Amino acid sequence: MQEAIEKLQQAVNESNYIVFFGGAGVSTESGIPDFRSQDGLYSQKYKYPPETIVSHSFFMRKTEEFYDFYRDKMIFMDAKPNAAHLKLAELEAAGKLKAVITQNIDGLHQAAGSKEVLELHGSTLRNYCMNCGKRYDGVKYIVESAGVPKCEDCGGVIRPDVVLYEEGLDNSVIRRAVDHIARADLLIIGGTSLVVYPAAGFIDYFHGRHLAVINMSETSRDKAADILIQGKIGEVLSQITV
Ligand code: NAD
């Protein structure tokens, strides 16, 4: 592993348009469970599978049950950025990294100081009334309300600005993400199982020099990577010097 980390350091040194593409594994070291690891949400038992609960049709039909799960398993008030988030922000501040493209909805990259963060699946920190559009920023209103959170102005149902299963991604976010990936000289993929589409497919736009994959388990892009590191992303990235 140490040899691969040295290769990553070398690639970082010689690259000027680094792009990071990540997922839930980036935040596990902050105490937020991912979906597909052994202790991830998919291994726990619920009345419905998690992908059913966080779907558009379930939200519309069983909003209260959606919110029971959502408050319990998808909002982490006390989570703090870990070494991975912090290193990526440092690389951006140094002008080397141009964008973080994330499937995460926890806002931890911004909390670490990253500026160009493309949230493919939205954010739990943004919420809005489905009736009048009033915005509720942060998670406080959702956490502190009981049952289905309702708009204080019109009584409409409030929903998180996250992309649920069966819903489409924001086109302008896709365009910016794909544009960054197409320009990258080093693409670092980390903490993602790469099974959620269309997000995982955006990587196909990469034609740069170095592809690095940092993940605890195997991914479909391991063979294409010239730098492959099976390890914890926070532990790995903390060893990179900017
Ligand atoms: P996933 O759960 O499918 O895969 C996570 C991957 O990260 C796994 O391959 C696992 O081996 C790896 N991993 C776990 N901890 C790691 C670590 N410390 N270092 C390196 N690798 C690690 O996650 P996904 O691919 O992002 O897809 C799940 C979907 O669920 C996403 O669309 C995302 O929106 C959502 N989700 C988000 C959060 C969050 O915002 N933090 C949490 C859970 C799920």
Side-chain angles (χ1 to χ4, degrees):
M1 179 152 111
Q2 219 47 43
E3 204 177 308
I5 294 176
E6 275 162 33
K7 265 177 89 177
L8 177 62
Q9 179 70 62
Q10 215 174 331
V12 166
N13 294 346
E14 64 194 39
S15 301
N16 295 306
Y17 207 115
I18 303 172
V19 171
F20 180 79
F21 182 96
V26 175
S27 293
T28 54
E29 287 162 84
S30 295
I32 302 180
D34 62 6
F35 274 4
R36 291 174 185 81
S37 289
Q38 248 171 17
D39 50 356
L41 292 184
Y42 282 9
S43 312
Q44 302 171 22
K45 290 280 166 276
Y46 300 102
K47 209 164 139 199
Y48 306 93
E51 65 265 58
T52 301
I53 304 175
V54 290
S55 70
H56 178 83
S57 46
F58 192 91
F59 177 84
M60 299 306 281
R61 276 201 317 262
K62 296 177 183 289
T63 317
E64 191 160 349
E65 276 180 78
F66 168 90
Y67 269 113
D68 286 345
F69 178 86
Y70 181 80
R71 283 194 191 91
D72 195 27
K73 299 292 174 193
M74 298 190 74
I75 291 182
F76 294 85
M77 299 269 281
D78 301 326
K80 302 268 181 308
N82 63 50
H85 300 104
L86 294 170
K87 185 62 67 175
L88 293 167
E90 200 184 327
L91 283 164
E92 184 183 21
K96 306 241 346 142
L97 182 139
K98 303 301 181 194
V100 167
I101 300 166
T102 183
Q103 299 163 84
N104 291 350
I105 53 178
D106 55 30
L108 288 182
H109 285 293
Q110 291 92 331
S114 286
K115 302 283 181 254
E116 179 72 347
V117 182
L118 298 172
E119 297 173 309
L120 297 173
H121 296 157
S123 174
T124 56
L125 303 185
R126 295 187 300 268
N127 304 277
Y128 62 91
C129 169
M130 292 171 79
N131 184 47
C132 72
K134 183 180 164 88
R135 292 173 55 127
Y136 292 83
D137 286 338
V139 290
K140 201 164 175 274
Y141 194 82
I142 304 289
V143 171
E144 289 177 358
S145 53
V148 177
K150 298 278 176 59
C151 179
E152 58 192 3
D153 283 0
C154 75
V157 171
I158 295 174
R159 67 159 284 176
D161 189 7
V162 300
V163 179
L164 301 172
Y165 284 96
E166 305 161 358
E167 294 179 338
L169 276 56
D170 183 304
N171 273 326
S172 67
V173 176
I174 294 179
R175 266 200 302 276
R176 281 166 63 198
V178 163
D179 184 53
H180 280 301
I181 291 171
R183 287 165 179 235
D185 46 14
L186 164 61
L187 178 66
I188 306 174
I189 298 172
T192 170
S193 60
L194 294 177
V195 299
V196 178
Y197 278 79
F202 300 156
I203 291 163
D204 291 338
Y205 289 88
F206 176 67
H207 300 292
R209 267 180 89 186
H210 296 292
L211 177 65
V213 173
I214 310 168
N215 208 60
M216 299 248 281
S217 52
E218 281 180 27
T219 78
S220 56
R221 302 290 168 144
D222 289 4
K223 284 200 177 70
D226 55 318
I227 302 163
L228 179 62
I229 305 175
Q230 274 202 355
K232 288 192 172 179
I233 191 158
E235 288 177 11
V236 171
L237 287 185
S238 62
Q239 296 179 56
I240 297 298
T241 50
V242 179

